[in-house]
Amino acid sequence: MKICIIGKFPPIQGGVSSHTYWFAHEFARRGHEVHIVTNADEVDYNYRQLFLQEDKDKLEASYGNGFVKVHNTDASPQANHIPYANPFATKLFGLAISIIKEYSCELVLGWYFEPYGFVATLAGMATRRPVVIRHAGSDIGRLVKHPNLSVTYRWMFERVDGVITSHAREDYLLSLGARKETFLFSKLGKLPSVFLEEPLPLSIEEYRTSLTEWFLKFPLSQSILETIITLNDKKIDSEIPIIGTYGKVGITKGSFDLVRALSRLAESGIHFNFLSIATGTQEQLERYYRTIIENQKLALRTWILPALPPWRIPSFLRLCNIVCFLERD
């Protein structure tokens, strides 16, 4: 089968992006042709994964008759318009119908409603291809509550051929306008094989040159960026525990509770390393980094990394003695 997937993809960070990546490559391993239509190359730095040179080679792959090929939207600045915005949906639609026609794709899958599921629905209608959409959590939990978006998503539900979901979401999706006959219930996902293999060691030293260049492009105040670069310019003491955390930061994520707890440990003289991979809004990141920096004893125990591609996460987990994945209350 030839499938066009419209959605998030590395270097966009987050669960949806990594799930799309693993799904596409697993689908290709089974002999299918997978074309990814994405705007990943246009993602903001505070939500962008840091790629080393060899990471770029992992985006696409061939598996006998199957393969994954990535098609990114054009980032030319002349596409911006007033009110000042980047027309992602329109660009994705234009790219998608071009790819569907050029490669004779037989199915369109939109992963995450905004704007990918909506664009997939339009592209499928324009090219007369069946359309399947897959939701995540925030699109049906938060975005659907917006009065304009909810109307759009109801229109989308009326036209798609399939909605990938779980039995737990069935009644809720029906209340949003989805049709029961379109439901495709997914089973529990298989752990990607990379987590079962012996990962390559993750070395902060390996990233040091790239980190300095990376953070100089980050949308944060100059004083914080200079401090982060200084914090990363030291060796990790492998003789003491490494406490790690990764993902989006925020109050509901328990990020600030964790920093307060680690500050208490540092103040009490307990020795540890704190390795934080953080993404989020500029405001949240600024507050998070400043909270760490303001406690000098914690700052001396801290290293800060941007998001890493999903195939690097097993190495990060192996590096840590304790990994914190938190939800507040």
Side-chain angles (χ1 to χ4, degrees), residues 80-111:
N80 294 328
H81 58 84
I82 305 299
Y84 196 80
N86 191 335
F88 284 128
T90 313
K91 292 199 297 187
L92 285 164
F93 174 73
L95 178 59
I97 60 175
S98 298
I99 296 303
I100 292 168
K101 291 177 180 179
E102 180 178 355
Y103 295 97
S104 301
C105 295
E106 303 160 84
L107 174 69
V108 184
L109 169 61
W111 201 313

Side-chain angles (χ1 to χ4, degrees), residues 13 195 244-249 253 258 274-279 288 305-308 313-314 316-317 320 323-326:
Q13 69 82 224
F195 285 90
T245 185
Y246 69 102
K248 295 182 180 72
V249 300
K253 299 293 186 182
L258 175 62
F274 177 44
L275 187 52
S276 177
I277 296 177
T279 63
Y288 178 70
L305 293 176
L308 301 181
I313 294 302
F316 171 75
L317 295 175
C320 300
V323 179
C324 301
F325 183 80
L326 309 173

Side-chain angles (χ1 to χ4, degrees), residues 160-282:
V160 298
D161 300 281
V163 180
I164 300 176
T165 187
S166 65
H167 286 285
R169 299 285 195 178
E170 183 176 357
D171 290 339
Y172 180 59
L173 286 175
L174 289 172
S175 73
L176 299 179
R179 294 172 292 130
K180 189 168 186 176
E181 64 269 21
T182 64
F183 290 163
L184 303 169
F185 295 108
S186 61
K187 299 178 181 178
L188 291 175
K190 184 176 70 171
L191 192 68
S193 59
V194 68
F195 285 90
L196 307 177
E197 300 164 358
E198 184 66 31
L200 294 172
L202 181 66
S203 169
I204 301 300
E205 285 70 29
E206 181 184 9
Y207 279 93
R208 183 156 289 136
T209 302
S210 300
L211 285 175
T212 300
E213 181 181 349
W214 179 271
F215 278 115
L216 289 176
K217 300 175 183 176
F218 229 64
L220 296 174
S221 65
Q222 192 65 30
S223 60
I224 286 183
L225 292 178
E226 290 175 355
T227 304
I228 289 174
I229 292 170
T230 301
L231 291 182
N232 288 334
D233 193 25
K234 59 183 185 289
K235 288 188 175 182
I236 290 182
D237 185 350
S238 58
E239 298 299 316
I240 59 177
I242 297 175
I243 301 172
T245 185
Y246 69 102
K248 295 182 180 72
V249 300
I251 293 174
T252 59
K253 299 293 186 182
S255 310
F256 299 98
D257 297 312
L258 175 62
V259 170
R260 279 192 291 271
L262 294 177
S263 296
R264 290 172 60 186
L265 290 180
E267 291 288 349
S268 67
I270 294 177
H271 296 288
F272 61 90
N273 306 295
F274 177 44
L275 187 52
S276 177
I277 296 177
T279 63
T281 65
Q282 181 176 345

Side-chain angles (χ1 to χ4, degrees), residues 13-52:
Q13 69 82 224
V16 173
S17 176
S18 62
H19 291 158
T20 308
Y21 174 84
W22 297 122
F23 175 88
H25 281 262
E26 181 61 32
F27 210 65
R29 283 189 182 94
R30 301 186 184 194
H32 303 285
E33 297 181 16
V34 182
H35 293 273
I36 303 295
V37 170
T38 185
N39 52 357
D41 279 353
E42 300 191 64
V43 67
D44 298 337
Y45 264 82
N46 41 318
Y47 291 105
R48 180 186 290 264
Q49 295 163 351
L50 170 58
F51 276 19
L52 299 181

